[in-house]
Amino acid sequence: MAKMSPSHARSPQIARFAFHGGIHPPEHKDLTRDRPIKSLPIMPHYVLPLHMHIGAPARAIVQVGQWVAKGQVLAQATDFISASIHAPTSGVIIAITEHPIPHPGGLAAAALILEADGEDRAGEPLPPWPDFTTKSATELRGRLREAGIVGLGGAVFPTAAKLATGGTSSVHTLVLNGAECEPYITCDDRLMRERPEDILHGAAIVLHMMGANRCLIGIEDNKPEAIATLLTASAQDTRFETIAVPTRYPAGGEKQLLKVLTNVEVPRGRRATEYGLLCLNVATVAAIYRAVVLGEPMTERIVTVTGEGIVQPENFRVPLGTKISDVIAAAGGYTAGADRLIMGGPMMGFALHDDEVPVVKATNCLLALRPQDRPTTPAPQPCIRCSLCAEACPADLLPQQLYWYARAKQFDRAVEYHLFDCIECGVCSAVCPSHLPLVDFYRFAKTEVWAQERDHSKASLARERFEFRNERLERIKAEREAALNKKRQNLAVNTAVAPSVATGMDTATMVPSAPASDEAFGEYRPEPKALGTQRPGDVGTEPVILDSAVEAACVRAKARRAALDAERAQQESKLAPESKSDLP
Ligand code: SF4
Ligand code: SF4
């Protein structure tokens, strides 16, 4: 890292810009902000879904019954946007089966079930690259892909793909997202306070990959310890600027943070990289550091276990695949009356159907609540067109319009109103005086649009397959016709020579015939004709010699048959007197 003298040590900057809308909900971070990150003991079983990231599911490359080492690749990325999955500990794969996953609909999906052997034996590590500056951006991207690194801020987008998207060569500023604006969650806060070097090293790797030399670290001002820690840790490096961001939800949204830190408003449908900016979560760059410098694949993440429904709220370093029930148990279990478990925060998280699902790469928080801990939600009333939702929407949308179109299932109109720019922050629902569950409608509309697109692409695929099949059959038919015609022509040429020449045998004696000579044909030189093309009644066609040969053979056969019949008749006439005497 570039060095500077201690005299250059800086104080935190204060963000000078603001994003549109937003709210300041109760923070509830006191429950865990001072709880250091703890490790969990090895659990008996781990459930590793093959699809823990955005993009194509990984493909299992291990067999049931196979012993695997900690860190071994269990499932490989199958596409450009996909991520590999590694064993969180050593043990035996006891099943590859459908298993419930953390999903708002309580869905099940293909997963590997690992039975731990308790030894936690590591396999062949990825080679550590302490001097990552000797590696090219391509090599480093390959390492991130190999290590299964995805964005840990909630998006779980494969990092290698994010760093490869077009235009990253023009990135001049890396923005580290340490805002952690959701109530209750403190895992990034604890990481920044406990492992600032991991974050700075990871950022340095990304700067090297991008050829950039400026890194802004945005942290909400409700985390003064994290701001101070990073400020101190980066004091010797001029590339880093730590900026205190006013606490306002959702300051941690990518576009909102970029606006606050740089005053750049990334328009709809455009990417931050087009403006020379790249935004990564602090936990993601820490994982990049561990993958590149230490050779560690992504096998764990930090999870805040919190809420008034938890006996002892904590921050845990949790191996991926650990059952949520085991994590809750490690935090002392549920308090009496806890009746809701949420994955994520209260604004953007979703309620889980049960806790027998695994921790995945997207699990940043487990929040257990009692009825008295959450605001009572009165029954929804009709929209009164007050526009409070539009005023508060940080994405500058018209939430009430989106609501009407989603509710009326006019999804194309909802898309026209930028449905997919909605970051599902929940601000509109929070401010709505009619208590409309607006975000639920947007999620429903998005799911429907995706389903329609899937159906459409399936239909297109089926049509393409059908057309391809027809083309293939036509081609095969044409090739067969051509081959048959060629064969017919060859046979016609051969039969035009002589029967004995065509077969190479004398048809009467069935011994090899003498080679035909021009003299053998005398005056008669038949035109070559394809076998089987002559039909009775054809005008102007010459007789085919092979047919004559067949006729001759038939005549001989008839003569032979007649001779045999005559012979038999003669023998019967000799026997006739004795036979007759036997008659009654
Ligand atoms: S805040 Fe609620 S009531 Fe007001 S316009 Fe928006 S959806 Fe309608
Ligand atoms: S959930 Fe969507 S529509 Fe509602 S405030 Fe957030 S971004 Fe705007």
Side-chain angles (χ1 to χ4, degrees):
M1 285 192 249
K3 300 290 180 189
M4 63 184 292
S5 74
S7 60
H8 288 101
R10 298 145 285 171
S11 11
Q13 299 175 39
I14 310 294
R16 289 182 293 124
F17 311 105
F19 62 90
H20 174 263
I23 54 175
H24 191 167
E27 294 177 17
H28 297 289
K29 291 186 187 262
D30 289 342
L31 289 169
T32 51
R33 76 160 78 242
D34 294 321
R35 305 297 299 176
I37 300 165
K38 289 183 178 170
S39 294
L40 290 178
I42 296 170
M43 300 297 173
H45 293 102
Y46 294 85
V47 178
L48 296 143
L50 296 175
H51 201 183
M52 295 198 220
H53 47 266
I54 295 285
R59 181 175 47 84
I61 57 167
V62 289
Q63 310 288 327
V64 173
Q66 183 178 340
W67 181 88
V68 295
K70 180 180 182 175
Q72 181 176 332
V73 182
L74 303 180
Q76 240 166 8
T78 52
D79 207 348
F80 176 65
I81 301 181
S82 184
S84 298
I85 292 160
H86 302 75
T89 187
S90 58
V92 176
I93 301 295
I94 57 168
I96 303 174
T97 183
E98 293 269 308
H99 193 283
I101 56 167
H103 187 275
L107 293 183
L112 299 151
I113 316 293
L114 172 64
E115 186 175 71
D117 60 11
E119 296 180 17
D120 207 28
R121 259 194 287 161
E124 190 71 23
L126 293 169
W129 290 344
D131 187 5
F132 58 83
T133 55
T134 60
K135 303 293 175 187
S136 69
T138 307
E139 286 172 300
L140 290 164
R141 272 198 300 274
R143 166 57 61 89
L144 302 184
R145 184 171 166 81
E146 219 177 342
I149 306 298
V150 300
L152 294 177
V156 283
F157 190 86
T159 305
K162 180 161 185 172
L163 298 186
T165 46
T168 46
S169 57
S170 61
V171 166
H172 51 71
T173 302
L174 170 65
V175 172
L176 292 192
N177 190 342
E180 200 167 55
C181 57
E182 269 254 1
Y184 284 100
I185 308 177
T186 60
C187 55
D188 286 350
D189 186 7
R190 290 308 313 181
L191 177 72
M192 288 187 282
R193 289 160 72 179
E194 295 182 36
R195 296 201 166 182
E197 293 297 343
D198 288 12
I199 294 168
L200 296 177
H201 273 103
I205 292 167
V206 178
L207 289 174
H208 167 69
M209 290 173 78
M210 300 292 111
N213 57 11
R214 185 176 184 225
C215 177
L216 307 179
I217 309 171
I219 306 172
E220 273 194 343
D221 56 12
N222 61 357
K223 302 175 194 64
E225 301 88 351
I227 293 172
T229 307
L230 275 165
L231 205 58
T232 307
S234 64
Q236 304 300 311
D237 195 326
T238 52
R239 295 174 298 176
F240 293 95
E241 294 169 49
T242 304
I243 303 175
V245 174
T247 299
R248 185 163 184 80
Y249 178 83
E254 180 173 305
K255 287 188 178 179
Q256 288 68 39
L257 188 64
L258 292 177
K259 173 75 173 80
V260 170
L261 295 183
T262 66
N263 203 24
V264 171
E265 262 184 273
V266 180
R268 292 192 177 109
R270 307 292 291 274
R271 283 200 296 261
T273 49
E274 295 172 50
Y275 297 84
L277 303 169
L278 177 72
C279 187
L280 292 172
N281 179 267
V282 286
T284 309
V285 290
I288 289 173
Y289 158 73
R290 302 188 79 78
V292 172
V293 176
L294 307 180
E296 288 179 10
M298 185 174 274
T299 60
E300 60 183 22
R301 68 153 300 146
I302 304 168
V303 181
T304 301
V305 185
T306 186
E308 291 77 5
I310 296 288
V311 171
Q312 179 53 68
E314 298 282 5
N315 282 296
F316 286 121
R317 184 173 296 284
V318 183
L320 299 172
T322 307
K323 283 191 188 168
I324 285 176
S325 55
D326 290 335
V327 183
I328 301 283
Y334 298 105
T335 55
D339 66 344
R340 182 170 294 183
L341 181 62
I342 294 169
M343 187 172 110
M347 301 298 290
M348 296 184 78
F350 57 86
L352 293 170
H353 287 238
D354 71 52
D355 58 8
E356 288 303 303
V357 294
V359 166
V360 292
K361 292 179 181 179
T363 312
N364 56 353
C365 178
L366 296 169
L367 172 63
L369 296 173
R370 303 167 301 180
Q372 62 267 36
D373 307 321
R374 47 181 192 266
T376 48
T377 315
Q381 301 295 314
C383 171
I384 55 171
R385 299 265 179 192
C386 64
S387 291
L388 281 178
C389 51
E391 285 164 29
C393 175
D396 247 337
L397 302 177
L398 293 173
Q400 73 274 38
Q401 292 302 123
L402 284 175
Y403 162 67
W404 284 111
Y405 291 130
R407 190 185 158 143
K409 298 191 179 174
Q410 293 181 20
F411 302 124
D412 47 347
R413 297 289 286 150
V415 171
E416 281 172 26
Y417 273 79
H418 311 291
L419 172 69
F420 285 95
D421 283 321
C422 167
I423 57 172
E424 299 178 20
C425 64
V427 166
C428 50
S429 301
V431 299
C432 178
S434 294
H435 311 293
L436 289 164
L438 299 170
V439 185
D440 293 346
F441 279 97
Y442 310 148
R443 285 181 180 151
F444 161 72
K446 284 182 183 176
T447 312
E448 287 297 304
V449 173
W450 284 326
Q452 283 174 6
E453 280 176 3
R454 258 199 312 275
D455 289 349
H456 179 71
S457 53
K458 266 189 202 162
S460 302
L461 192 63
R463 192 177 60 248
E464 272 172 29
R465 279 193 187 141
F466 177 73
E467 287 169 359
F468 177 74
R469 180 177 175 274
N470 281 353
E471 268 174 34
R472 188 170 53 86
L473 291 178
E474 286 295 324
R475 196 179 63 244
I476 290 170
K477 194 174 159 193
E479 285 169 0
R480 280 191 186 144
E481 286 281 329
L484 199 58
N485 281 341
K486 195 172 174 191
K487 210 170 171 184
R488 281 171 178 158
Q489 279 169 3
N490 288 344
L491 277 170
V493 169
N494 290 340
T495 53
V497 177
S500 57
V501 174
T503 61
M505 305 285 280
D506 184 293
T507 50
T509 59
M510 298 307 286
V511 294
S513 57
S517 64
D518 280 356
E519 290 75 31
F521 293 102
E523 293 289 304
Y524 181 60
R525 306 300 304 174
E527 288 295 314
K529 190 166 182 69
L531 274 178
T533 55
Q534 187 181 9
R535 292 189 180 86
D538 277 0
V539 179
T541 54
E542 297 289 342
V544 175
I545 292 177
L546 188 59
D547 291 351
S548 309
V550 171
E551 272 173 28
C554 289
V555 168
R556 283 198 301 278
K558 276 183 187 169
R560 179 74 182 138
R561 166 66 57 194
L564 285 171
D565 288 348
E567 200 177 318
R568 197 177 298 119
Q570 200 178 2
Q571 284 173 353
E572 281 172 359
S573 66
K574 281 182 189 169
L575 294 169
E578 289 83 4
S579 304
K580 279 177 186 170
S581 63
D582 293 337
L583 292 171

